[in-house]
Amino acid sequence: MRITGTTTSPKLSIDWKKLGLQVVEEYKEKAVEKVKEEAKEISDNLIEKAEQKAEKLRNAAAEKAQVIRDKGREAADRQRAETDRLMDMTREETDKKIGKMIEAAKNPIERLAAEKAAKALRKKSNQKIDRLKKEGYKKASQIETEANKKADAIESAAKNESEKLIQEAKEKQKEQLD
């Protein structure tokens, strides 16, 4: 707006074109700001959805990993139980053989020889039992370790995939806002 003339007779003139451009510029800035806000809201929703999807992915992987760990533990427990059963069986067989040897001894000399043979048999049996336990429990441990490795790999892959999903959503957001 311009004011011309004298103080007693002022003349007011409005530059409608300039005023219109100024109003348009204000509305344009408001519209751009509103579009940016809406774009940010939409991209925030995309990130939120990506985070939810990533969380579901990680949870599913954790459940699957737990199943694998549980099955590995169960298989290892079965291996240990089988090892224990074989050890018990070996002890029982040894005890029976020793009992028969001592029972078969008729005189003190045979009894002494039977006791000496029983001692050697017990030693050999104990060595066999120790070897069975070492091998069986080692195998059980390997089963559990392998299951845990598989489970860890599943969880790691899910973690990587979920991080990738979130990162992609953030990159899309940045592109949209720029």
Side-chain angles (χ1 to χ4, degrees), residues 80-99 118 121-134 137:
R80 287 183 194 100
E82 178 62 15
T83 298
D84 291 344
R85 188 186 69 75
L86 290 172
M87 290 167 37
D88 290 343
M89 222 170 72
T90 303
R91 274 189 204 98
E92 288 173 11
E93 287 175 11
T94 302
D95 289 345
K96 285 180 185 176
K97 286 180 184 177
I98 289 172
L121 183 60
R122 175 74 64 203
K123 183 178 179 181
K124 188 175 179 181
S125 175
N126 286 341
Q127 288 172 343
K128 182 178 180 181
I129 289 170
D130 289 344
R131 189 177 68 251
L132 282 171
K133 183 174 183 177
K134 183 179 177 182
Y137 277 62

Coordinates of all heavy atoms in Angstrom, one line a residue, residues 80-99 118 121-134 137:
R80 N 22.8 -88.6 26.6 CA 23.3 -88.8 27.9 C 22.6 -89.9 28.6 O 23.3 -90.7 29.3 CB 23.2 -87.5 28.7 CG 24.1 -86.4 28.3 CD 24.0 -85.1 29.2 NE 24.7 -84.0 28.6 CZ 24.1 -83.1 27.9 NH1 22.7 -83.1 27.8 NH2 24.7 -82.1 27.4
A81 N 21.3 -90.0 28.5 CA 20.5 -91.1 29.1 C 21.0 -92.4 28.5 O 21.1 -93.4 29.3 CB 19.0 -90.9 28.9
E82 N 21.1 -92.5 27.2 CA 21.6 -93.7 26.6 C 23.0 -94.1 27.0 O 23.3 -95.3 27.3 CB 21.6 -93.6 25.0 CG 22.1 -94.8 24.3 CD 21.2 -96.1 24.5 OE1 20.1 -96.0 25.0 OE2 21.8 -97.1 24.1
T83 N 23.8 -93.1 27.2 CA 25.2 -93.3 27.7 C 25.1 -93.9 29.1 O 25.8 -94.8 29.4 CB 26.0 -92.0 27.6 OG1 26.1 -91.6 26.3 CG2 27.4 -92.2 28.2
D84 N 24.3 -93.2 29.9 CA 24.1 -93.7 31.3 C 23.6 -95.1 31.4 O 24.1 -96.0 32.2 CB 23.2 -92.8 32.1 CG 23.8 -91.4 32.3 OD1 25.1 -91.2 32.2 OD2 23.1 -90.5 32.7
R85 N 22.7 -95.4 30.5 CA 22.1 -96.8 30.4 C 23.2 -97.8 30.1 O 23.3 -98.9 30.7 CB 21.0 -96.8 29.4 CG 20.2 -98.2 29.4 CD 19.2 -98.2 28.3 NE 19.8 -98.3 27.0 CZ 20.4 -99.4 26.4 NH1 20.4 -100.5 27.1 NH2 20.9 -99.4 25.2
L86 N 24.0 -97.5 29.1 CA 25.1 -98.4 28.7 C 26.1 -98.5 29.8 O 26.7 -99.6 30.0 CB 25.8 -97.8 27.4 CG 25.0 -97.9 26.1 CD1 25.7 -97.2 25.0 CD2 24.8 -99.4 25.7
M87 N 26.4 -97.4 30.5 CA 27.3 -97.5 31.6 C 26.8 -98.4 32.7 O 27.5 -99.3 33.3 CB 27.6 -96.1 32.2 CG 28.4 -95.2 31.3 SD 28.5 -93.5 31.7 CE 28.5 -93.4 33.4
D88 N 25.5 -98.3 33.0 CA 24.9 -99.1 34.0 C 24.9 -100.6 33.6 O 25.1 -101.5 34.4 CB 23.4 -98.7 34.3 CG 23.4 -97.3 35.0 OD1 24.4 -96.9 35.6 OD2 22.3 -96.7 35.0
M89 N 24.6 -100.8 32.3 CA 24.6 -102.2 31.8 C 25.9 -102.8 31.9 O 26.1 -104.0 32.3 CB 24.1 -102.1 30.3 CG 23.2 -103.2 29.9 SD 22.5 -102.9 28.3 CE 23.9 -103.3 27.2
T90 N 27.0 -102.0 31.6 CA 28.3 -102.5 31.7 C 28.7 -102.9 33.1 O 29.3 -103.9 33.4 CB 29.3 -101.5 31.1 OG1 29.0 -101.2 29.8 CG2 30.8 -102.0 31.2
R91 N 28.3 -102.0 34.1 CA 28.5 -102.3 35.5 C 27.8 -103.6 35.9 O 28.4 -104.4 36.6 CB 28.0 -101.1 36.4 CG 29.0 -100.0 36.5 CD 28.5 -99.0 37.6 NE 29.1 -97.7 37.3 CZ 28.5 -96.7 36.7 NH1 27.3 -96.8 36.2 NH2 29.2 -95.6 36.5
E92 N 26.6 -103.7 35.5 CA 25.8 -104.9 35.9 C 26.4 -106.2 35.4 O 26.5 -107.2 36.1 CB 24.3 -104.8 35.4 CG 23.5 -103.7 36.2 CD 22.1 -103.5 35.6 OE1 21.7 -104.3 34.7 OE2 21.5 -102.5 36.0
E93 N 26.8 -106.1 34.1 CA 27.4 -107.3 33.5 C 28.7 -107.6 34.2 O 29.0 -108.8 34.5 CB 27.7 -107.0 32.0 CG 26.5 -107.0 31.1 CD 26.8 -106.6 29.7 OE1 28.0 -106.6 29.3 OE2 25.9 -106.4 28.9
T94 N 29.5 -106.6 34.6 CA 30.8 -106.8 35.3 C 30.5 -107.5 36.6 O 31.1 -108.4 37.1 CB 31.5 -105.5 35.4 OG1 31.8 -105.0 34.1 CG2 32.8 -105.7 36.2
D95 N 29.5 -106.9 37.3 CA 29.1 -107.4 38.7 C 28.7 -108.9 38.6 O 29.1 -109.7 39.4 CB 28.0 -106.6 39.3 CG 28.5 -105.2 39.7 OD1 29.7 -105.0 39.8 OD2 27.6 -104.3 40.0
K96 N 27.9 -109.2 37.5 CA 27.5 -110.6 37.4 C 28.7 -111.5 37.1 O 28.8 -112.6 37.7 CB 26.5 -110.7 36.2 CG 25.1 -110.2 36.5 CD 24.2 -110.4 35.3 CE 22.8 -109.7 35.6 NZ 22.0 -109.8 34.4
K97 N 29.6 -111.1 36.2 CA 30.7 -111.9 35.9 C 31.6 -112.1 37.2 O 32.1 -113.2 37.5 CB 31.6 -111.3 34.8 CG 31.0 -111.4 33.5 CD 31.9 -110.7 32.4 CE 31.2 -110.8 31.0 NZ 32.0 -110.1 30.0
I98 N 31.8 -111.0 37.9 CA 32.6 -111.1 39.1 C 31.9 -112.1 40.1 O 32.6 -112.9 40.8 CB 32.8 -109.7 39.7 CG1 33.8 -108.9 38.9 CG2 33.4 -109.8 41.2 CD1 34.0 -107.5 39.3
G99 N 30.6 -111.9 40.3 CA 29.8 -112.8 41.2 C 30.0 -114.2 40.8 O 30.2 -115.1 41.7
A118 N 38.9 -110.7 39.4 CA 37.7 -109.8 39.6 C 38.2 -108.3 39.6 O 37.6 -107.4 39.0 CB 36.9 -110.1 40.8
L121 N 39.2 -107.4 36.2 CA 38.0 -107.2 35.4 C 37.3 -105.9 35.8 O 36.8 -105.1 34.9 CB 37.0 -108.4 35.6 CG 35.7 -108.4 34.8 CD1 36.0 -108.4 33.3 CD2 34.9 -109.6 35.2
R122 N 37.2 -105.5 37.1 CA 36.6 -104.3 37.5 C 37.4 -103.1 37.0 O 36.8 -102.1 36.5 CB 36.6 -104.3 39.1 CG 36.1 -103.0 39.7 CD 34.6 -102.8 39.6 NE 34.0 -103.8 40.4 CZ 32.7 -104.1 40.2 NH1 32.0 -103.6 39.3 NH2 32.2 -105.1 40.9
K123 N 38.7 -103.2 37.0 CA 39.5 -102.1 36.4 C 39.2 -101.9 34.9 O 39.0 -100.8 34.5 CB 41.0 -102.4 36.7 CG 41.9 -101.2 36.2 CD 43.4 -101.6 36.5 CE 44.2 -100.4 36.0 NZ 45.7 -100.7 36.2
K124 N 39.2 -103.0 34.2 CA 38.9 -102.9 32.8 C 37.5 -102.4 32.5 O 37.3 -101.6 31.6 CB 39.1 -104.3 32.2 CG 39.1 -104.4 30.7 CD 39.3 -105.8 30.1 CE 39.3 -105.8 28.6 NZ 39.5 -107.1 28.1
S125 N 36.6 -102.8 33.3 CA 35.2 -102.4 33.2 C 35.1 -100.9 33.5 O 34.4 -100.1 32.8 CB 34.3 -103.2 34.2 OG 33.0 -102.7 34.1
N126 N 35.8 -100.4 34.5 CA 35.8 -99.0 34.8 C 36.4 -98.1 33.7 O 35.9 -97.0 33.4 CB 36.5 -98.7 36.2 CG 35.7 -99.2 37.4 OD1 34.4 -99.4 37.3 ND2 36.3 -99.4 38.5
Q127 N 37.4 -98.7 33.1 CA 38.0 -98.0 32.0 C 37.0 -97.9 30.8 O 36.9 -96.8 30.2 CB 39.3 -98.7 31.5 CG 40.4 -98.5 32.5 CD 41.6 -99.4 32.1 OE1 41.5 -100.3 31.3 NE2 42.8 -99.1 32.7
K128 N 36.3 -99.0 30.6 CA 35.3 -99.0 29.5 C 34.2 -98.0 29.8 O 33.7 -97.2 29.0 CB 34.7 -100.4 29.3 CG 33.7 -100.5 28.2 CD 33.2 -101.9 28.0 CE 32.2 -102.0 26.9 NZ 31.6 -103.3 26.7
I129 N 33.7 -98.0 31.1 CA 32.7 -97.1 31.5 C 33.1 -95.6 31.3 O 32.4 -94.8 30.8 CB 32.3 -97.4 33.0 CG1 31.5 -98.7 33.0 CG2 31.4 -96.2 33.6 CD1 31.3 -99.2 34.4
D130 N 34.4 -95.3 31.7 CA 34.9 -94.0 31.6 C 34.9 -93.5 30.1 O 34.6 -92.4 29.8 CB 36.3 -93.8 32.2 CG 36.3 -93.9 33.7 OD1 35.2 -93.7 34.3 OD2 37.4 -94.1 34.3
R131 N 35.3 -94.5 29.3 CA 35.4 -94.2 27.8 C 34.0 -94.0 27.3 O 33.8 -93.0 26.5 CB 36.1 -95.3 27.1 CG 36.4 -95.0 25.6 CD 37.2 -96.1 24.9 NE 36.4 -97.3 24.8 CZ 36.5 -98.5 25.5 NH1 37.5 -98.6 26.3 NH2 35.7 -99.5 25.3
L132 N 33.0 -94.8 27.7 CA 31.7 -94.7 27.2 C 31.1 -93.3 27.7 O 30.5 -92.6 26.8 CB 30.8 -95.7 27.8 CG 30.8 -97.1 27.2 CD1 30.0 -98.1 28.1 CD2 30.2 -97.1 25.8
K133 N 31.4 -92.9 28.9 CA 30.9 -91.6 29.4 C 31.5 -90.5 28.6 O 30.8 -89.6 28.2 CB 31.2 -91.5 30.9 CG 30.6 -90.2 31.5 CD 30.8 -90.2 33.0 CE 30.1 -88.9 33.5 NZ 30.2 -88.8 35.0
K134 N 32.8 -90.5 28.5 CA 33.5 -89.5 27.8 C 33.0 -89.3 26.3 O 32.7 -88.2 25.9 CB 35.0 -89.8 27.7 CG 35.8 -88.7 27.1 CD 37.3 -89.0 27.2 CE 38.2 -88.0 26.5 NZ 39.6 -88.4 26.4
Y137 N 29.0 -88.3 26.4 CA 28.7 -87.0 26.8 C 29.3 -85.9 25.9 O 28.8 -84.9 25.7 CB 29.2 -86.7 28.3 CG 28.3 -87.2 29.3 CD1 27.9 -88.5 29.4 CD2 27.7 -86.3 30.2 CE1 27.0 -89.0 30.4 CE2 26.8 -86.7 31.2 CZ 26.4 -88.1 31.2 OH 25.5 -88.5 32.2

